[in-house]
Amino acid sequence: MKTIGAPKHFKSAVLFLLISVISAAAFPNTFPASAKTVQISLWDKANEANPETIDHNPWQQILNAYLKVNPSGVSKFDYASLKANAGDRVKLAEYLGYLQRLDPRDYSKAEQKAYWINFYNSLTVKLVVDAYPVKSILEICKDRVSDSQCSGPWKETHAKVAGQNLTLDNIENDILRPIWKDKLIHYGLSCASYGCPSLLKTAFSAKNTERLLAVAAREYVNHPRGVSFIDNDLIIVSSIYEWYSVDFGKSEQDIIRHLQTYADKKLAERLKNFKGSIDYEYDWSLNCP
């Protein structure tokens, strides 16, 4: 990360940059999972005639109990408390077991989209809880040889659905992104880090997914970890827009236009007139209280 002057656009930007400096020293600014999409064609099927819904209430109960809305604008998850509660750990494990016993292709595409987002987020929470205490999800590996050889759990198999072994990378980059082709999916997936979009207090469902993704996009873009002005010639934006640039456009101007879409009035106007350069940053520190 560059050591640069404090941003002026957001009140909490100074704290954000201080945290980012500390995090950058400990964790790399490179996403360890592939951002390329190789669609798993067997998942691109649905039964739109099926009116049944998937029960995400257990996940909602976990969110109600352990997700804390922080005044900084970043939701924090209380992994320590969940680890200490054996009953709720069982509840989370049973919910993930329930999801893995289903074949999402038996449901509508809307049900599937919510299913995969909730699956990704709840599985991520379980992996962190199982490994806790850790300072970052980057420290979590099943087959740890050394810290230098550990780059997070994304490429490791942690689930099985319809007879297929799946990784977090599969869910995001081989199912959600190529099948739905919706850039807002990035705002719905939480990687248990300060720099990522926050977990939302409401579990996704077929009825609320599109609304929640739009809400999450606005919250993220209007927080310093989404975009922050250093001065009139330099902005820092989340590395998500660099890692997944193929989803947000062919150029940095496309990224700026995307940010404008979800920015509040003052920020949107400043982005509209911005002609400077972009730097990318990400904070991998754990999103815990």
Side-chain angles (χ1 to χ4, degrees), residues 219-242:
E219 289 182 353
Y220 191 69
V221 168
N222 289 289
H223 189 273
R225 71 198 196 286
V227 55
S228 183
F229 272 82
I230 302 306
D231 52 40
N232 291 329
D233 298 315
L234 176 64
I235 60 174
I236 292 178
V237 303
S238 169
S239 296
I240 288 174
Y241 303 113
E242 181 179 33

Short mmCIF file of all heavy atoms in Angstrom, two decimals, residues 219-242:
data_model
loop_
_atom_site.label_atom_id
_atom_site.label_comp_id
_atom_site.label_asym_id
_atom_site.label_seq_id
_atom_site.Cartn_x
_atom_site.Cartn_y
_atom_site.Cartn_z
N GLU A 219 -24.17 0.66 0.25
CA GLU A 219 -23.44 0.75 1.52
C GLU A 219 -21.94 0.67 1.31
O GLU A 219 -21.17 1.40 1.93
CB GLU A 219 -23.91 -0.36 2.47
CG GLU A 219 -25.32 -0.16 3.01
CD GLU A 219 -25.72 -1.26 3.98
OE1 GLU A 219 -24.95 -2.24 4.14
OE2 GLU A 219 -26.80 -1.15 4.59
N TYR A 220 -21.52 -0.22 0.43
CA TYR A 220 -20.09 -0.44 0.21
C TYR A 220 -19.46 0.73 -0.54
O TYR A 220 -18.40 1.24 -0.14
CB TYR A 220 -19.88 -1.73 -0.56
CG TYR A 220 -18.45 -2.20 -0.61
CD1 TYR A 220 -17.82 -2.67 0.54
CD2 TYR A 220 -17.73 -2.20 -1.80
CE1 TYR A 220 -16.51 -3.13 0.51
CE2 TYR A 220 -16.42 -2.65 -1.85
CZ TYR A 220 -15.81 -3.11 -0.69
OH TYR A 220 -14.52 -3.55 -0.73
N VAL A 221 -20.09 1.15 -1.60
CA VAL A 221 -19.54 2.23 -2.42
C VAL A 221 -19.41 3.51 -1.61
O VAL A 221 -18.44 4.27 -1.77
CB VAL A 221 -20.41 2.46 -3.67
CG1 VAL A 221 -20.01 3.76 -4.38
CG2 VAL A 221 -20.28 1.28 -4.63
N ASN A 222 -20.35 3.76 -0.71
CA ASN A 222 -20.34 5.01 0.06
C ASN A 222 -19.55 4.92 1.36
O ASN A 222 -19.61 5.83 2.19
CB ASN A 222 -21.79 5.44 0.33
CG ASN A 222 -22.48 5.93 -0.92
OD1 ASN A 222 -22.16 6.99 -1.45
ND2 ASN A 222 -23.41 5.14 -1.43
N HIS A 223 -18.81 3.83 1.53
CA HIS A 223 -17.90 3.70 2.66
C HIS A 223 -16.47 3.83 2.16
O HIS A 223 -16.19 3.45 1.01
CB HIS A 223 -18.11 2.34 3.35
CG HIS A 223 -17.37 2.20 4.63
ND1 HIS A 223 -16.06 1.77 4.68
CD2 HIS A 223 -17.75 2.46 5.91
CE1 HIS A 223 -15.66 1.76 5.95
NE2 HIS A 223 -16.66 2.16 6.71
N PRO A 224 -15.53 4.35 2.98
CA PRO A 224 -14.15 4.53 2.50
C PRO A 224 -13.49 3.28 1.95
O PRO A 224 -12.61 3.36 1.10
CB PRO A 224 -13.43 5.02 3.76
CG PRO A 224 -14.47 5.70 4.54
CD PRO A 224 -15.74 4.92 4.30
N ARG A 225 -13.88 2.09 2.41
CA ARG A 225 -13.23 0.90 1.88
C ARG A 225 -13.71 0.59 0.48
O ARG A 225 -13.08 -0.22 -0.22
CB ARG A 225 -13.43 -0.30 2.81
CG ARG A 225 -14.83 -0.87 2.87
CD ARG A 225 -14.97 -1.73 4.12
NE ARG A 225 -16.12 -2.62 4.09
CZ ARG A 225 -17.38 -2.24 4.25
NH1 ARG A 225 -17.67 -0.95 4.41
NH2 ARG A 225 -18.35 -3.13 4.22
N GLY A 226 -14.80 1.21 0.05
CA GLY A 226 -15.26 1.09 -1.33
C GLY A 226 -14.57 2.09 -2.23
O GLY A 226 -13.93 1.73 -3.23
N VAL A 227 -14.68 3.36 -1.88
CA VAL A 227 -14.00 4.43 -2.62
C VAL A 227 -13.71 5.57 -1.67
O VAL A 227 -14.55 5.92 -0.83
CB VAL A 227 -14.83 4.91 -3.83
CG1 VAL A 227 -16.23 5.34 -3.41
CG2 VAL A 227 -14.13 6.04 -4.56
N SER A 228 -12.53 6.14 -1.76
CA SER A 228 -12.12 7.24 -0.90
C SER A 228 -11.24 8.21 -1.66
O SER A 228 -10.28 7.80 -2.31
CB SER A 228 -11.38 6.70 0.33
OG SER A 228 -11.04 7.73 1.21
N PHE A 229 -11.58 9.48 -1.61
CA PHE A 229 -10.77 10.51 -2.25
C PHE A 229 -9.58 10.87 -1.37
O PHE A 229 -9.74 11.16 -0.18
CB PHE A 229 -11.59 11.77 -2.51
CG PHE A 229 -12.32 11.76 -3.82
CD1 PHE A 229 -13.53 11.09 -3.96
CD2 PHE A 229 -11.79 12.41 -4.93
CE1 PHE A 229 -14.20 11.08 -5.17
CE2 PHE A 229 -12.45 12.40 -6.14
CZ PHE A 229 -13.66 11.73 -6.27
N ILE A 230 -8.40 10.87 -1.95
CA ILE A 230 -7.21 11.36 -1.28
C ILE A 230 -7.09 12.86 -1.53
O ILE A 230 -6.87 13.64 -0.62
CB ILE A 230 -5.95 10.63 -1.77
CG1 ILE A 230 -6.09 9.13 -1.55
CG2 ILE A 230 -4.70 11.18 -1.08
CD1 ILE A 230 -6.43 8.74 -0.13
N ASP A 231 -7.26 13.23 -2.78
CA ASP A 231 -7.36 14.63 -3.19
C ASP A 231 -8.06 14.63 -4.54
O ASP A 231 -8.63 13.61 -4.94
CB ASP A 231 -5.97 15.30 -3.26
CG ASP A 231 -4.97 14.52 -4.10
OD1 ASP A 231 -5.37 13.99 -5.16
OD2 ASP A 231 -3.79 14.44 -3.71
N ASN A 232 -8.02 15.73 -5.23
CA ASN A 232 -8.75 15.82 -6.50
C ASN A 232 -8.11 15.01 -7.62
O ASN A 232 -8.71 14.86 -8.69
CB ASN A 232 -8.88 17.29 -6.93
CG ASN A 232 -9.81 18.06 -6.02
OD1 ASN A 232 -10.76 17.51 -5.47
ND2 ASN A 232 -9.54 19.36 -5.86
N ASP A 233 -6.92 14.50 -7.37
CA ASP A 233 -6.20 13.78 -8.42
C ASP A 233 -5.99 12.30 -8.14
O ASP A 233 -5.44 11.58 -8.96
CB ASP A 233 -4.83 14.43 -8.66
CG ASP A 233 -4.94 15.87 -9.12
OD1 ASP A 233 -5.77 16.13 -10.02
OD2 ASP A 233 -4.23 16.73 -8.58
N LEU A 234 -6.42 11.83 -6.96
CA LEU A 234 -6.19 10.44 -6.61
C LEU A 234 -7.32 9.90 -5.73
O LEU A 234 -7.73 10.55 -4.76
CB LEU A 234 -4.87 10.30 -5.85
CG LEU A 234 -4.52 8.90 -5.32
CD1 LEU A 234 -4.31 7.92 -6.48
CD2 LEU A 234 -3.27 8.95 -4.44
N ILE A 235 -7.82 8.74 -6.11
CA ILE A 235 -8.78 8.04 -5.26
C ILE A 235 -8.27 6.63 -4.99
O ILE A 235 -7.54 6.06 -5.79
CB ILE A 235 -10.20 7.97 -5.88
CG1 ILE A 235 -10.17 7.24 -7.22
CG2 ILE A 235 -10.83 9.34 -5.99
CD1 ILE A 235 -11.57 7.01 -7.80
N ILE A 236 -8.65 6.11 -3.83
CA ILE A 236 -8.40 4.70 -3.51
C ILE A 236 -9.73 3.97 -3.59
O ILE A 236 -10.72 4.41 -3.00
CB ILE A 236 -7.81 4.54 -2.09
CG1 ILE A 236 -6.41 5.14 -2.03
CG2 ILE A 236 -7.75 3.07 -1.71
CD1 ILE A 236 -5.78 5.07 -0.66
N VAL A 237 -9.75 2.89 -4.35
CA VAL A 237 -10.96 2.07 -4.42
C VAL A 237 -10.60 0.65 -4.01
O VAL A 237 -9.43 0.26 -3.97
CB VAL A 237 -11.60 2.07 -5.83
CG1 VAL A 237 -11.93 3.48 -6.28
CG2 VAL A 237 -10.70 1.39 -6.85
N SER A 238 -11.60 -0.12 -3.68
CA SER A 238 -11.39 -1.49 -3.26
C SER A 238 -10.73 -2.31 -4.36
O SER A 238 -11.03 -2.17 -5.54
CB SER A 238 -12.73 -2.13 -2.89
OG SER A 238 -12.60 -3.53 -2.72
N SER A 239 -9.85 -3.20 -3.93
CA SER A 239 -9.20 -4.09 -4.90
C SER A 239 -10.17 -5.04 -5.58
O SER A 239 -9.83 -5.65 -6.59
CB SER A 239 -8.11 -4.91 -4.19
OG SER A 239 -7.08 -4.08 -3.71
N ILE A 240 -11.37 -5.15 -5.03
CA ILE A 240 -12.40 -5.98 -5.69
C ILE A 240 -12.59 -5.53 -7.12
O ILE A 240 -12.77 -6.35 -8.03
CB ILE A 240 -13.73 -5.90 -4.92
CG1 ILE A 240 -13.62 -6.66 -3.60
CG2 ILE A 240 -14.89 -6.45 -5.75
CD1 ILE A 240 -14.84 -6.52 -2.70
N TYR A 241 -12.54 -4.21 -7.36
CA TYR A 241 -12.78 -3.68 -8.70
C TYR A 241 -11.61 -3.96 -9.64
O TYR A 241 -11.77 -3.92 -10.87
CB TYR A 241 -13.06 -2.18 -8.63
CG TYR A 241 -14.22 -1.85 -7.73
CD1 TYR A 241 -14.04 -1.16 -6.53
CD2 TYR A 241 -15.51 -2.26 -8.06
CE1 TYR A 241 -15.10 -0.88 -5.69
CE2 TYR A 241 -16.59 -1.99 -7.21
CZ TYR A 241 -16.36 -1.31 -6.04
OH TYR A 241 -17.43 -1.03 -5.20
N GLU A 242 -10.45 -4.25 -9.08
CA GLU A 242 -9.30 -4.64 -9.89
C GLU A 242 -9.29 -6.14 -10.12
O GLU A 242 -9.09 -6.60 -11.25
CB GLU A 242 -8.01 -4.21 -9.20
CG GLU A 242 -6.75 -4.54 -9.97
CD GLU A 242 -5.49 -4.07 -9.25
OE1 GLU A 242 -5.47 -4.07 -8.00
OE2 GLU A 242 -4.52 -3.70 -9.95
#
